[in-house]
Amino acid sequence: MKVEAQIPHKSNNHRDPTLLREECLYFSLAHADHISPLLQFLDDLTDLPRFRRLEMNVQSVLLQYLSHLMKLFSDSRSKKLYDDLAVYFCSHSSSYLDYSPEQRSMLRMLFWKGICKCLVEVVSEETDSFSYVKKCIEWLVPLLNLCNDGQPEFVDEWSAAIKCLIVAQKSWSSDMLQVHSTTSLSEGEHVDAARKIIIRARLCFAGCVSALELGNIKTTILSTTADGVWWNVLVEVAAAVYSADNGIKKQWLLDALDIGCVTAHPSTQHLG
């Protein structure tokens, strides 16, 4: 991996300590496979107590090169790395919460990108590392925020997440995105259901998930009141179904009309 070649030229000021630390990190990533002290340096940097104190730009580099770190580390050390990152991003007492919402989203986006590269280059369902990578994805999905109208709050983060889920194993990602009836859900659970359906709709639109699978939760989608976040759920599902063949689109229309006749607060009240 040509890490050194990817060092960004952010500044002509070589005395900039921020840039200098980044260049040291890139150098370490490039040569740690044959220089033990550099490997130890990366090991120390990615240990949670140290990682949480790093500047955000250094954290960003480490997240981007997650796949390279996995190639350098043993399986047990890689597992610890993922466990530490899960704690960092999901703990209610994490220093990560000191960042602004935009900064937190950027770090999560880079984590998604790093995981995606791991799934492409390092991890497969047959490897031991698959279980802890999967666990991190399951922790990250609920952090994909929605605005009050159901629109994804941070577009770049959502885009990175969808790209990662596209390359993830279909079998377990489908289980992770299971949605049950929204009838008796709390507001938080309602948003979580909306998030999962939007993800499934985008995977369907990308050709990763069949529109038939989306049809399995058709009743839940169409029998929920179309207000708040749910309006955008309908928009996302409509975009996904639009790319399906005519037979599936016709069945969706017929089912929408049917559900609209028997449901107290159908989403289909806006049909037409």
Side-chain angles (χ1 to χ4, degrees), residues 28 107 169 225:
S28 299
L107 286 174
Q169 297 294 329
T225 307

Side-chain angles (χ1 to χ4, degrees), residues 16-30:
D16 181 350
T18 300
L19 181 60
L20 180 60
R21 280 189 283 273
E22 281 191 40
E23 290 178 339
C24 289
L25 182 52
Y26 282 113
F27 181 85
S28 299
L29 287 164

Side-chain angles (χ1 to χ4, degrees), residues 90-104:
C90 301
S91 171
H92 295 300
S93 59
S94 175
S95 58
Y96 144 88
L97 296 174
D98 295 336
Y99 292 130
S100 69
E102 292 76 17
Q103 289 172 320
R104 295 199 298 268

Side-chain angles (χ1 to χ4, degrees), residues 6-245:
Q6 300 180 39
I7 296 176
H9 298 287
K10 293 183 178 178
S11 170
N12 292 322
N13 181 9
H14 297 293
R15 295 183 180 179
D16 181 350
T18 300
L19 181 60
L20 180 60
R21 280 189 283 273
E22 281 191 40
E23 290 178 339
C24 289
L25 182 52
Y26 282 113
F27 181 85
S28 299
L29 287 164
H31 299 286
D33 60 339
H34 57 275
I35 302 178
S36 296
L38 294 180
L39 180 59
Q40 183 61 51
F41 173 64
L42 293 174
D43 181 57
D44 292 342
L45 280 185
T46 52
D47 194 42
L48 182 58
R50 180 77 179 275
F51 182 84
R52 58 166 48 119
R53 296 196 305 270
L54 296 175
E55 295 173 332
M56 194 172 87
N57 64 303
V58 177
Q59 292 177 333
S60 298
V61 173
L62 291 169
L63 291 170
Q64 288 180 77
Y65 287 95
L66 200 55
S67 63
H68 193 62
L69 290 170
M70 287 190 72
K71 294 172 185 176
L72 293 170
F73 291 164
S74 66
D75 187 64
S76 60
R77 182 62 184 88
S78 293
K79 181 180 184 302
K80 183 181 183 303
L81 171 61
Y82 271 89
D83 288 344
D84 283 348
L85 289 174
V87 171
Y88 179 72
F89 281 100
C90 301
S91 171
H92 295 300
S93 59
S94 175
S95 58
Y96 144 88
L97 296 174
D98 295 336
Y99 292 130
S100 69
E102 292 76 17
Q103 289 172 320
R104 295 199 298 268
S105 175
M106 189 195 76
L107 286 174
R108 292 194 301 267
M109 176 194 70
L110 293 173
F111 194 16
W112 277 111
K113 288 184 174 182
I115 292 174
C116 185
K117 202 165 185 180
C118 289
L119 290 170
V120 172
E121 296 181 357
V122 185
V123 178
S124 68
E125 197 166 8
E126 293 74 33
T127 59
D128 293 336
S129 52
F130 181 76
S131 61
Y132 52 79
V133 173
K134 170 186 171 183
K135 178 183 174 184
C136 262
I137 291 177
E138 291 171 346
W139 276 100
L140 277 175
V141 165
L143 300 180
L144 291 168
N145 293 328
L146 295 173
C147 299
N148 291 334
D149 62 357
Q151 292 284 343
E153 184 174 6
F154 299 108
V155 176
D156 290 341
E157 180 188 354
W158 270 80
S159 177
I162 296 301
K163 288 178 181 177
C164 182
L165 291 170
I166 285 173
V167 302
Q169 297 294 329
K170 179 182 174 183
S171 56
W172 67 264
S173 60
S174 296
D175 293 339
M176 178 181 64
L177 298 172
Q178 282 294 324
V179 177
H180 304 290
S181 172
T182 59
T183 305
S184 58
L185 296 183
S186 66
E187 183 178 350
E189 292 170 331
H190 192 74
V191 172
D192 184 59
R195 179 189 299 109
K196 289 178 179 179
I197 294 173
I198 290 172
I199 292 172
R200 291 180 70 164
R202 292 197 173 192
L203 292 175
C204 177
F205 185 79
C208 182
V209 171
S210 166
L212 292 173
E213 289 189 31
L214 201 57
N216 293 335
I217 53 173
K218 190 183 302 178
T219 301
T220 297
I221 294 170
L222 297 177
S223 62
T224 304
T225 307
D227 56 9
V229 297
W230 215 259
W231 176 250
N232 193 57
V233 169
L234 295 179
V235 173
E236 296 276 356
V237 169
V241 173
Y242 184 78
S243 62
D245 62 53

Side-chain angles (χ1 to χ4, degrees), residues 248-265:
I248 293 176
K249 285 190 280 192
K250 179 180 178 181
Q251 191 59 52
W252 267 87
L253 178 60
L254 293 173
D255 289 343
L257 292 170
D258 186 40
I259 292 169
C261 293
V262 298
T263 303
H265 302 288

